[in-house]
Amino acid sequence: MKFDKPAGPNPIDQLKVIGKPTDRIDGRYKTTGRAPYAYERHDVVGNQAYGYVIGAAIAKGRIASMDLAKAKAAPGVLAIVTAENAGKLGKGNFNTAKLLGGPQIDHYHQAVALVVAETFEQARAAAQLVRIDYAEGKGAFDLAAARDGATKPEPKFGGPADTAVGDFTGAFAAAPVKLEETYTTPDQSHAMMEPHASIAAWKGDQLSLWTSNQMIAWSAGDVAKTLGIPKEKVVLTSPFIGGGFGGKLFVRADAVLAALGARAARRPVKVTLTRPLMMNNTTHRPATIQRVRIGSGVDGKITAIAHESWSGDLPGGGPETAVGQTRLLYAGANRMTAMRLAVLDLPEGNAMRAPGEAPGLMALEIAIDEMAEKLNLDPVEFRIRNDTQVDPEDPKRPFSQRQLVQCLQQGAERFGWSKRNATPGQAREGQWLIGMGVAAAFRNNLLTKSAARVRLDRKGFVTVETDMTDIGTGTYTIIAQTAAEMMGVPLEQVKVKLGDSRFPVSCGSGGQWGANNATSGVYAACVKLRESVAQKLGFNTENLQFADGQVTAGNRSVPLAQAAVDGELTAEDAIEFGDLDKKYQQSTFGGHFVEVGVDIATAEIRVRRMLAVCAAGRILNPKSARSQVIGAMTMGVGAALMEELAIDKKRGFFVNHDLAGYEVPVHADIPHQEVIFLPEADPISSPMKAKGVGELGICGVGAAVANAIYNATGIRVRDYPITLDKLIDKMPEVA
Amino acid sequence: MKAFTYERARTPAEAAAAARVEGAKFIAGGTNLLDLMKLQIEAPAHLIDINGLGLDTIEETEEGGLRVGALVRNTDLAADQRVRRDYGVLSRALLAGASGQLRNKATTAGNLLQRTRCPYFYDTNQPCNKREPGSGCSALGGFSRQHAVVGGSDACIATHPSDMAVAMRALDVTVETVRPDGKTRSIPIADFHKLPGDTPHIETALERGELITAVILPKPVGGKQIYRKVRDRASYAFALVSVAAIVQPDGTGRVAVGGVAHKPWRIEAAEADLPKGAKSVAAALFADARPTEQNQFKLTLAERSIGAVLAEAKG
């Protein structure tokens, strides 16, 4: 189905199932331990051996020698895979560094060997007996030091490296009120609950991989490319995923090494990455240095806005696209953005929840707060004054929907924003200095082809098959809701099968594009199935009702199941998008409001309450959408207050590589969260009229927290995370 | 993890005797030791399981204090009515540590013997004098935000992670032990934990095979008892700085500080300045401080935290 003009009325608009707060249809499997996660799939193939990954002990250099003799002789050892004996390996399209290093080492904890043994404990013990001597090389590990040598990156995801409209320099120089500040965000880890894990089994030249992966087609392709085998020879299965946040968009060492280990040991092999390996072996969100300049008239209208960002990556990697939102969020005739990329020899950077916007808004939305203060304007009012309904770089392109102003206004009202004292450091309750902060949320709506197959059986059950994934987001449920709405059956009569490379290729889970695109693909397939049903049942009108298990036209009503009485009906289709995203700018919007307390003595920062108001198209399942947003808000608090991969700049690695050292919020950190979705349906986005919310929820949270801390204390911190050590010297004297 | 042999001991003397074997270790709750064994930071050849020794009761002593068995779980110690009434600082410190699950498993003796959470100690690719004597200290000149600001050495700036031990230092407890030859002794808590010096791998006064059997809480000293733990997140994190304080109505008292040194940090002479306020106390406690650039904030933080605790004690 080609989607190239705005959606008209369609069966989804009935909203009998779609739009209703719905429990996860897979919830019972998760709470009863019956959802099969990759590492526990003992049942899929017998005789599984265990692989243990050895990570490089240096950040850069070469393996001088490797002695496997002792390890090979250890109890239970079946095989040891190294770059030397693995045969020729390619590199996946989505990988920057090789997944099996050696002799050259590109980053710390790059996999250099897999020890395969009868038991996990034997594999781990034998791994300790592998002796590796390294010739350590010199690397660059400090973004600030490498900044001057940064270059203009090739455009990949996230737009061109440089943009410019009007005369920024002239307008900024002439502006009566201006701000120029630099902000930094640290490297961050996805730190998802389930570590990367895979089981591999070969049958002749056919490889089966049970794994944990967000993008089935990308990854089946990259496994094939890495191993040098045809893509058709790879079956990749990932029905349940214990969190990804972008960390599982790509094939990682667990999958490739499981396949190589299984080949070497001639039996199925399972591999998981240990927690200490995850931070340095896999990808992370790269650190940024961001310079923001804003010029405004005394009327509070922005006349000049510039956002530049520096980040680093391994050679061949990409930048953190932290300037993207600044091209679209606020009006202003004169504007520029720029991204520069330095070569760093830290582990490879890549996408993490709202890549670009998450760190970009952490900087921009502090700058907006600072600018509002310079103008003596309320920060909500300053944002409203600079709203735009068109793409500021190309005013011919309107936003398909844009309710930023409504989000901010409703949020201010619901949060009690009027009670905020604009003068910082004034509100106190006992030992706590209290402050409120606001930030805009913004994340683009990305459109991409997505296919599905639907089947109708003689009992009237509908089965959906697509290689779409559910990374904890609730995909199973919204896909079931879509099919139920389209086919007029109760939710209980829909079965959803996901995450299998033998199914039609979907958009996959990433970039908050999953919900809108994947359900649109299911919509397309259901439209086809409805046509088959109509034909089978001898209806020759387009005015068919599919409801309550019946197909009805005029006075004639036939049970849906009857269409499959001679055998299952199957339909397959994909949603494919035309150029509506060129003609219209499609984005999602929100307002984040945060109240914090800062301990007057210790400068400990604790969030007291949070509110997000989101406008993000039709909300398919308000219950799971809310869960997505509160989860993202929690992650935003982590980014604001504690998350940082600490770099050892001599040895070139992330030091705090476990969940004791890399702190994320715990329950006690998150007392009260509220989410409001504004009514919205965006016919330009898709037939579902939906967008995404999973990333919108994190965008802006960090800055809202930072602005609240400023309001509480009068101390402006521009380097994340905002930990107490950055406040303590400036806190007021206490007795 | 290296293969090891395992036995269950039936009496403290039997356990201590069994520990004569080279590479033997006691295991009780195992909340720290098992993690370290999996990473092969600890590689005992022989484990002596002491969970069957009894030693899990809290009894009143003739002196009016409490004798806490080595195997009393942290949860039980924190919840004991007598502890809550007379040793509030200890109960509060215990509850500020770890998580409910860990406290259910962790024992009194094991808590004292926790090893540092220095991330370089945990990464066997990195030099660490505590893990591998003579290999060097990676934290010095590395990532040292969490590390010691006082009492460290050129060999090691690790901190002791326990909350319980900081309160016990303020209470001046005594550690009772039995040695492989069957002899018992009492070690004042002040002498129990060592500063790193040139031998950071030697962390306590215990000799090889010496088994902790109990911790003696002296007669209650009264006063307001406060434990204040300062950390980046609200729960389940090690202290940046913690303060265990016992403050009497006349303003005198005791202060021990956690998160700043290789052992709970207390200098009795500094306590004379308590009536003068936190600045004087902190100045005396940290006169010999040698912070790194990354952790010098702990000095300000400790002073302000002591101030907050003293204010709370007054109010």
Side-chain angles (χ1 to χ4, degrees):
Chain A
M1 176 183 286
K2 186 92 174 165
F3 185 78
D4 50 11
K5 50 182 187 296
N10 68 39
I12 296 296
D13 296 331
Q14 300 174 95
L15 300 181
K16 287 182 182 168
V17 195
I18 288 288
K20 295 268 188 290
T22 306
D23 288 347
R24 289 165 194 267
I25 61 169
D26 51 326
R28 85 185 80 152
Y29 303 117
K30 292 182 173 171
T31 52
T32 56
R34 284 181 296 159
Y37 288 87
Y39 200 68
E40 285 81 36
R41 302 202 72 177
H42 313 294
D43 54 326
V44 290
V45 59
N47 204 26
Q48 296 174 14
Y50 292 78
Y52 190 87
V53 177
I54 301 177
I58 60 166
K60 194 172 164 67
R62 293 177 68 78
I63 294 175
S65 68
M66 211 167 187
D67 182 356
L68 306 179
K70 268 192 181 168
K72 275 185 177 162
V77 171
L78 301 166
I80 300 176
V81 177
T82 67
E84 211 170 49
N85 64 27
K88 189 175 178 317
L89 294 177
K91 186 157 72 70
N93 292 332
F94 295 94
N95 297 131
T96 304
K98 287 198 283 185
L99 296 178
L100 179 59
Q104 184 187 312
I105 300 300
D106 303 306
H107 63 86
Y108 192 70
H109 273 175
Q110 183 177 29
V112 293
L114 181 83
V115 179
V116 182
E118 292 285 350
T119 69
F120 173 77
E121 288 75 14
Q122 287 173 331
R124 184 176 58 187
Q128 295 280 354
L129 301 173
V130 173
R131 197 194 148 87
I132 306 173
D133 289 318
Y134 296 94
E136 202 164 351
K138 275 213 160 141
F141 309 116
D142 184 348
L143 176 61
R147 175 180 169 171
D148 288 343
T151 57
K152 191 170 152 180
E154 292 294 315
K156 282 190 184 170
F157 294 108
D162 292 331
T163 65
V165 172
D167 170 21
F168 171 77
T169 311
F172 185 66
V177 182
K178 50 187 141 190
L179 167 110
E180 174 174 352
E181 287 295 352
T182 297
Y183 308 84
T184 66
T185 62
D187 297 282
Q188 294 173 344
S189 178
H190 306 87
M192 74 296 271
M193 188 88 79
E194 180 203 29
H196 297 74
S198 297
I199 298 172
W202 292 90
K203 207 177 218 175
D205 60 354
Q206 176 78 41
L207 173 65
S208 292
L209 265 174
W210 295 269
T211 187
S212 183
N213 191 285
Q214 300 174 224
M215 299 294 293
I216 301 301
W218 286 6
S219 296
D222 267 1
V223 167
K225 192 178 174 211
T226 307
L227 298 176
I229 60 176
K231 191 178 170 183
E232 302 75 54
K233 296 290 182 189
V234 179
V235 173
L236 199 141
T237 318
S238 182
F240 288 96
I241 296 150
F245 309 121
K248 293 173 182 165
L249 288 166
F250 322 109
V251 167
R252 298 301 313 171
D254 57 302
V256 168
L257 290 175
L260 293 170
R263 188 188 266 164
R266 298 176 182 281
R267 60 189 268 198
V269 168
K270 61 157 66 176
V271 176
T272 188
L273 299 184
T274 59
R275 190 66 71 182
L277 272 181
M278 285 186 49
M279 274 74 173
N280 288 283
N281 178 278
T282 74
T283 59
H284 66 279
R285 189 202 299 282
T288 64
I289 299 170
Q290 302 179 48
R291 181 164 72 139
V292 180
R293 286 172 290 168
I294 304 174
S296 156
V298 288
D299 58 355
K301 298 254 179 154
I302 293 172
T303 54
I305 184 164
H307 194 158
E308 297 152 275
S309 174
W310 290 260
S311 60
D313 205 352
L314 287 167
E320 178 67 27
T321 56
V323 303
Q325 72 290 320
T326 308
R327 297 173 59 196
L328 291 160
L329 191 49
Y330 296 113
N334 304 287
R335 42 207 312 132
M336 66 84 74
T337 68
M339 290 184 279
R340 292 294 178 268
L341 179 62
V343 171
L344 290 181
D345 299 296
L346 291 168
E348 72 185 73
N350 216 313
M352 179 169 143
R353 201 172 200 170
E357 281 101 330
L361 284 163
M362 286 167 79
L364 177 66
E365 288 295 286
I366 294 185
I368 291 289
D369 200 67
E370 295 194 72
M371 195 67 192
E373 190 181 34
K374 280 176 190 272
L375 285 157
N376 204 21
L377 271 179
D378 184 280
V380 171
E381 171 58 24
F382 180 51
R383 287 179 173 89
I384 291 171
R385 233 173 248 195
N386 289 285
D387 187 46
T388 173
Q389 293 293 317
V390 297
D391 174 353
E393 288 181 2
D394 182 3
K396 293 188 300 296
R397 293 177 73 232
F399 282 91
S400 61
Q401 301 268 355
R402 179 172 163 124
Q403 297 198 73
L404 175 61
V405 169
Q406 291 85 339
C407 289
L408 291 167
Q409 285 172 335
Q410 277 216 22
E413 200 182 314
R414 284 292 284 268
F415 200 68
W417 183 253
S418 61
K419 293 197 189 80
R420 169 182 175 267
N421 189 332
T423 310
Q426 301 301 305
R428 187 167 171 182
E429 284 178 26
Q431 63 174 0
W432 296 101
L433 297 170
I434 311 297
M436 289 189 211
V438 64
F442 173 93
R443 173 73 175 149
N444 279 330
N445 183 51
L446 304 172
L447 300 177
T448 179
K449 184 179 172 183
S450 193
R453 183 159 57 222
V454 281
R455 305 171 182 277
L456 174 69
D457 72 13
R458 62 175 63 199
K459 286 183 184 159
F461 276 75
V462 178
T463 301
V464 185
E465 295 169 343
T466 165
D467 84 352
M468 181 58 192
T469 48
D470 187 328
I471 58 176
T473 38
T475 313
Y476 277 102
T477 310
I478 55 172
I479 283 181
Q481 287 174 277
T482 304
E485 193 83 76
M486 289 299 289
M487 301 312 297
V489 298
L491 201 62
E492 299 71 40
Q493 256 171 260
V494 182
K495 289 183 201 162
V496 181
K497 297 181 175 176
L498 300 181
D500 190 314
S501 61
R502 291 163 293 195
F503 295 155
V505 174
S506 73
C507 55
S509 295
Q512 81 168 12
W513 63 58
N516 181 44
N517 293 285
T519 55
S520 294
V522 174
Y523 172 94
C526 286
V527 167
K528 259 200 179 166
L529 184 61
R530 284 165 63 116
E531 287 164 9
S532 301
V533 168
Q535 200 181 19
K536 191 81 189 167
L537 297 178
F539 286 102
N540 49 14
T541 170
E542 288 199 347
N543 273 332
L544 278 183
Q545 292 292 318
F546 286 68
D548 306 323
Q550 300 281 319
V551 187
T552 308
N555 291 331
R556 187 174 169 229
S557 195
V558 184
L560 175 69
Q562 203 166 306
V565 79
D566 301 330
E568 192 178 72
L569 286 190
T570 302
E572 181 174 333
D573 201 2
I575 191 86
E576 290 182 80
F577 294 93
D579 62 355
L580 285 175
D581 60 343
K582 307 269 183 314
K583 288 182 186 155
Y584 296 88
Q585 177 56 39
Q586 300 188 23
S587 306
T588 60
F589 297 89
H592 284 293
F593 293 80
V594 174
E595 183 178 293
V596 301
V598 181
D599 188 293
I600 195 160
T602 62
E604 283 167 291
I605 304 154
R606 299 289 181 255
V607 170
R608 288 157 60 98
R609 59 193 182 101
M610 308 177 77
L611 165 69
V613 183
C614 303
R618 175 174 278 157
I619 301 303
L620 303 174
N621 179 357
K623 190 168 186 181
S624 54
R626 177 182 178 277
S627 295
Q628 279 296 291
V629 175
I630 63 172
M633 289 158 78
T634 303
M635 210 166 183
V637 170
L641 297 182
M642 58 193 85
E643 291 187 45
E644 174 175 21
L645 285 167
I647 301 167
D648 185 309
K649 289 174 186 166
K650 279 192 301 194
R651 305 271 293 149
F653 74 111
F654 300 130
V655 183
N656 50 341
H657 48 54
D658 58 34
L659 292 183
Y662 186 85
E663 291 184 12
V664 298
V666 295
H667 284 279
D669 291 300
I670 308 294
H672 182 79
Q673 296 175 311
E674 198 182 340
V675 182
I676 296 168
F677 294 110
L678 296 187
E680 185 175 300
D682 190 341
I684 291 163
S685 171
S686 77
M688 301 301 293
K689 304 174 187 173
K691 293 173 184 167
V693 294
E695 297 189 340
L696 180 67
I698 192 176
C699 292
V701 175
V705 173
N707 296 338
I709 293 167
Y710 175 73
N711 183 241
T713 62
I715 304 167
R716 185 67 80 177
V717 180
R718 300 182 184 86
D719 301 298
Y720 291 99
I722 305 177
T723 43
L724 60 84
D725 45 303
K726 295 172 187 171
L727 301 175
I728 191 92
D729 287 335
K730 301 180 190 119
M731 292 293 285
E733 278 289 318
V734 281
Chain B
M1 191 182 280
K2 272 195 175 155
F4 55 88
T5 51
Y6 172 88
E7 75 174 294
R8 286 198 179 102
R10 283 167 302 183
T11 65
E14 185 185 303
R20 277 206 187 96
V21 184
E22 177 80 33
K25 276 238 167 221
F26 302 116
I27 185 163
T31 58
N32 192 198
L33 180 60
L34 284 178
D35 284 353
L36 294 169
M37 285 171 67
K38 289 173 186 173
L39 295 165
Q40 217 154 302
I41 294 160
E42 296 267 18
H46 183 62
L47 276 188
I48 303 156
D49 187 333
I50 57 169
N51 284 296
L53 300 189
L55 305 181
D56 56 355
T57 56
I58 304 172
E59 289 156 10
E60 280 150 41
T61 63
E62 282 177 16
E63 294 74 28
L66 291 175
R67 183 175 198 277
V68 180
L71 295 171
V72 172
R73 308 286 153 171
N74 287 177
T75 299
D76 297 330
L77 183 55
D80 186 274
Q81 285 305 317
R82 295 160 294 185
V83 173
R84 287 169 52 129
R85 187 186 62 220
D86 297 330
Y87 308 93
V89 66
L90 177 58
S91 186
R92 292 189 174 101
L94 282 159
L95 294 175
S99 66
Q101 293 93 325
L102 285 167
R103 293 194 296 267
N104 286 344
K105 199 82 185 138
T107 62
T108 305
N111 191 320
L112 284 174
L113 297 176
Q114 279 187 82
R115 306 206 66 190
T116 185
R117 262 60 175 191
C118 171
Y120 295 101
F121 175 70
Y122 269 74
D123 187 334
T124 50
N125 291 327
Q126 305 304 329
C128 170
N129 288 321
K130 186 182 277 298
R131 178 170 27 78
E132 206 180 318
S135 61
C137 175
S138 305
L140 275 165
F143 173 58
S144 59
R145 180 171 181 265
Q146 298 271 356
H147 288 72
V149 291
V150 69
S153 69
D154 291 340
C156 182
I157 55 168
T159 55
H160 193 267
S162 172
D163 292 297
M164 183 195 80
V166 183
M168 286 187 169
R169 180 69 182 88
L171 289 165
D172 263 338
V173 306
T174 308
V175 181
E176 285 191 351
T177 69
V178 57
R179 286 186 275 201
D181 60 8
K183 286 189 184 140
T184 61
R185 66 168 171 155
S186 296
I187 309 168
I189 186 78
D191 303 332
F192 185 80
H193 292 109
K194 301 278 181 197
L195 288 177
D198 296 334
T199 53
H201 57 290
I202 299 170
E203 294 169 352
T204 69
L206 294 180
E207 292 165 13
R208 187 200 281 186
E210 190 169 5
L211 176 75
I212 299 174
T213 50
V215 169
I216 309 299
L217 309 185
K219 192 169 164 242
V221 293
K224 282 225 173 156
Q225 303 202 359
I226 298 169
Y227 189 76
R228 179 77 162 90
K229 183 173 182 179
V230 182
R231 42 189 160 175
D232 290 318
R233 65 179 173 190
S235 179
Y236 203 44
F238 295 99
L240 293 169
V241 161
S242 69
V243 178
I246 301 170
V247 185
Q248 302 297 343
D250 63 0
T252 63
R254 307 174 182 183
V255 176
V257 184
V260 295
H262 202 253
K263 59 189 281 187
W265 195 248
R266 181 176 170 204
I267 297 175
E268 278 79 349
E271 291 162 2
D273 284 350
L274 268 173
K276 286 195 225 155
K279 255 193 174 51
S280 308
V281 177
L285 276 171
F286 298 108
D288 297 326
R290 271 178 40 190
T292 68
E293 198 182 321
Q294 289 181 16
N295 69 17
Q296 59 187 356
F297 75 92
K298 286 189 175 185
L299 297 175
T300 314
L301 183 60
E303 180 194 310
R304 293 179 72 104
S305 303
I306 293 168
V309 165
L310 295 181
E312 188 185 337
K314 254 190 228 163

